[in-house]
Amino acid sequence: KQRVTVIGGGLAGTECAYQLARRGVPVVLREMKPHKRSPAHKSDALAELVCSNSLRSDNPESAIGLLHAELRALGSVVLSAADANRVPAGDALAVERDGFSGAITQSLLSHPGVELVAGEVERLPDEGPVVIASGPLTSDALTRELERHVGTKLYFYDAIAPILSADSIDMNVAFRQSRYGKGGGDDYLNLPMTKDEYHRFIAELKAGQKVVPHAFEEPKYFEGCLPIEVMAERGDDTLAYGPMKPVGLRDPRTGQDPYAVVQLRMEDVGGTSWNMVGFQTRLTWGEQKRIFANFIPGLQQAEFLRMGQIHRNTFIDSPRLLSKDLSLKTEPRLYFAGQVSGVEGYVESAACGYLVALALHAKLTGTEWVPPPATTAMGALLRHVTGEAHPPDYPHQPSNIIFGIFPPITGRMKKAEKRAAYSARAKQDLAAWLPHAGVPAAGSPEHRE
Ligand code: FAD
């Protein structure tokens, strides 16, 4: 069979390579690490989680939880590694990041159908099928090469949150609790603020020095991942209704509801490091240390294991450039998977890699590509990337999986009932479609986990 080149061993590339290989299609997986790294990638492993260690809600009545369930049913290597490396985080599927990436790396390295070739890809191979899964931080040389193929500029900006060392957080101030006692009830650390403390913090945040983008760069942020200072500029209370909202939390020491909180989520099973939830920022590193330590109660002695950062986000205008099978209209041997195709998020990127594997497998085997129904989370993501979920002139932007990109369920219903209805419809339609996915049966020659 023809070999497929997959460029990028991230969330999308590993899932795509694995799903092709386990269906008998040989793959060359080309990953630039360890020779070269993006500013956010640190480890040598494949499928690195560059920011949060959370794959978000695992509740199947949320859109992302539904996507988890579908990927599990499809035998996703990413979901299986996540389940095997889970750490407590309420109803979220959070993972111990090295164990997670290590498990995926091992699955690929041990598969006879996958050859891993290290080194930056600067030019696309001249022939054969190619999957571009080089992610939001595609290297500059490859970005220029892709721009030549698609004919447009390919980037915008968003930002990542800091990580703190546990033993540097003042536990006389922080209290452990999940909102409304979800999950174990105490998976998060909360730093409570009074109204005065909150407003002093906001004033500092607004005045703080920010990293200025280069003159030629126009910062365009993804709405779901706005830097805190950009939110603060929209109104002094925007953060208190956003990532710093106190709802469902009560300080057990005072019995009071805080005016605002900074929530910290566990980064590793041992709870030695904690992520500042929703605190992506482009404050300079010096200003982050000064403002967070002096104006967030409990962080006076904070040790920052990673600072918040600004980062580029590379993606193509998929609805106009790609066919329904995610191949480039003008060069159908080229496929796009993951964030570069305009999905947002770890799990969404893996799901998109899976979709490309299915479409490409169908093409290589001369069979009909039967996409997942639009009513499933997998199908809804595909609808978003190909533009079917949006009006024709809608400007394409990376999106997380949300019920808003599913075909609507109309009629008056309570929110929870509607979510349950989306979930039930998806479950039924996925089951009917599943045989088209050709998931190798356990025990078959192509089945290797
Ligand atoms: P990646 O996982 O980034 O994989 C791309 C791979 O391609 C990398 O391993 C890279 O080294 C390699 N590569 C790049 N260029 C080349 C080249 N020329 N040759 C060979 N290899 C190359 N999503 C979340 O759900 N939660 C978060 O907290 C989150 N935080 C983020 C923080 C940052 C800084 C960024 C940039 C993104 C974040 N995202 C987050 C969004 C995004 O969904 C994830 O980055 C996700 O990993 C994207 O998957 P991917 O497979 O498309 O890209």
Side-chain angles (χ1 to χ4, degrees):
K1 276 194 191 124
Q2 222 176 345
R3 282 220 299 188
V4 173
T5 303
V6 176
I7 303 175
L11 277 300
T14 52
E15 188 69 63
C16 184
Y18 183 77
Q19 297 305 334
L20 284 167
R22 76 195 285 239
R23 286 169 176 77
V25 178
V27 177
V28 184
L29 178 58
R30 298 184 61 181
E31 166 55 53
M32 68 178 180
K33 296 193 302 179
H35 302 294
K36 188 166 179 173
R37 292 171 207 281
S38 83
H41 287 85
K42 300 277 175 274
S43 91
D44 288 346
L46 301 173
E48 178 175 353
L49 301 176
V50 289
C51 182
S52 164
N53 64 329
S54 170
L55 275 53
R56 316 208 302 286
S57 174
D58 203 28
N59 177 349
E61 291 187 1
S62 68
I64 181 68
L66 185 59
L67 189 59
H68 291 172
E70 293 184 5
L71 285 168
R72 283 188 185 107
L74 285 160
S76 148
V77 67
V78 167
L79 255 290
S80 116
D83 287 335
N85 289 281
R86 194 166 184 154
V87 296
D91 71 352
L93 173 55
V95 302
E96 199 281 298
R97 63 179 74 227
D98 293 333
F100 167 81
S101 302
I104 295 172
T105 306
Q106 195 45 40
S107 295
L108 284 150
L109 288 180
S110 65
H111 201 296
V114 180
E115 184 192 350
L116 179 63
V117 176
E120 180 184 6
V121 175
E122 298 186 359
R123 298 296 303 262
L124 296 181
D126 290 331
E127 52 192 34
V130 179
V131 178
I132 295 128
S134 45
L137 301 170
T138 297
S139 74
D140 289 345
L142 185 58
T143 301
R144 284 193 296 277
E145 167 79 343
L146 294 178
E147 285 175 348
R148 268 198 295 281
H149 284 264
V150 303
T152 54
K153 285 249 169 283
L154 301 179
Y155 61 77
F156 80 129
Y157 279 80
D158 51 26
I160 64 175
I163 295 179
L164 305 168
S165 129
D167 52 15
S168 71
I169 301 164
D170 185 347
M171 296 299 174
N172 294 317
V173 176
F175 64 90
R176 279 189 81 147
Q177 208 172 83
S178 309
R179 287 191 205 282
Y180 303 109
K182 275 189 185 166
D186 65 351
D187 290 341
Y188 289 80
L189 268 179
N190 303 280
L191 304 170
M193 283 186 179
T194 63
K195 189 172 179 179
D196 282 352
E197 285 167 338
Y198 173 77
H199 284 290
R200 273 201 297 275
F201 169 69
I202 295 297
E204 287 294 324
L205 185 60
K206 283 166 55 175
Q209 197 190 350
K210 324 290 184 319
V211 175
V212 183
H214 298 291
F216 60 88
E217 297 167 341
E218 178 198 357
K220 292 193 211 160
Y221 296 111
F222 171 55
E223 273 295 316
C225 191
L226 285 177
I228 44 172
E229 60 278 3
V230 173
M231 280 190 259
E233 284 300 335
R234 292 184 174 181
D236 283 359
D237 271 326
T238 305
L239 281 165
Y241 286 93
M244 295 179 71
K245 63 180 180 284
V247 296
L249 295 168
R250 175 159 295 172
D251 188 338
R253 279 174 300 244
T254 59
Q256 302 285 313
D257 295 347
Y259 185 78
V261 292
V262 176
Q263 273 210 311
L264 307 177
R265 185 178 47 232
M266 206 189 282
E267 268 288 310
D268 58 324
V269 190
T272 61
S273 51
W274 294 76
N275 194 309
M276 298 177 74
V277 179
F279 261 59
Q280 47 275 3
T281 179
R282 46 187 271 265
L283 285 171
T284 61
W285 289 11
E287 285 289 77
Q288 289 179 47
K289 286 183 186 154
R290 181 184 71 79
I291 296 173
F292 297 166
N294 291 311
F295 297 93
I296 298 177
L299 298 190
Q300 285 77 0
Q301 305 298 326
E303 181 197 349
F304 291 84
L305 300 177
R306 184 189 63 197
M307 305 307 298
Q309 292 171 42
I310 184 169
H311 71 85
R312 198 186 65 223
N313 201 346
T314 311
F315 64 94
I316 63 165
D317 190 9
S318 298
R320 274 150 282 279
L321 294 167
L322 301 187
S323 305
K324 304 294 173 219
D325 67 352
L326 304 179
S327 66
L328 193 63
K329 285 178 187 164
T330 53
E331 241 178 305
R333 72 184 179 92
L334 304 182
Y335 287 75
F336 286 80
Q339 185 118 352
V340 77
S341 72
V343 296
E344 170 78 27
Y346 302 142
V347 183
E348 289 86 341
S349 296
C352 188
Y354 202 121
L355 288 168
V356 168
L358 290 179
L360 189 44
H361 178 256
K363 190 191 276 181
L364 295 174
T365 53
T367 50
E368 191 197 353
W369 150 239
V370 183
T375 49
T376 62
M378 294 288 283
L381 263 189
L382 184 62
R383 255 165 69 84
H384 165 69
V385 175
T386 58
E388 283 160 280
H390 306 289
D393 53 352
Y394 186 82
H396 184 54
Q397 276 226 340
S399 177
N400 288 126
I401 184 80
I402 47 171
F403 284 130
I405 58 175
F406 287 62
I409 290 183
T410 49
R412 286 177 72 81
M413 261 181 249
K414 289 200 177 119
K415 246 187 177 170
E417 283 171 19
K418 193 160 265 186
R419 283 200 294 263
Y422 275 110
S423 179
R425 183 181 69 174
K427 203 170 164 198
Q428 194 175 9
D429 292 354
L430 186 89
W433 170 79
L434 215 45
H436 295 288
V439 180
S444 72
E446 281 158 4
H447 177 90
R448 287 174 55 105
E449 302 298 347

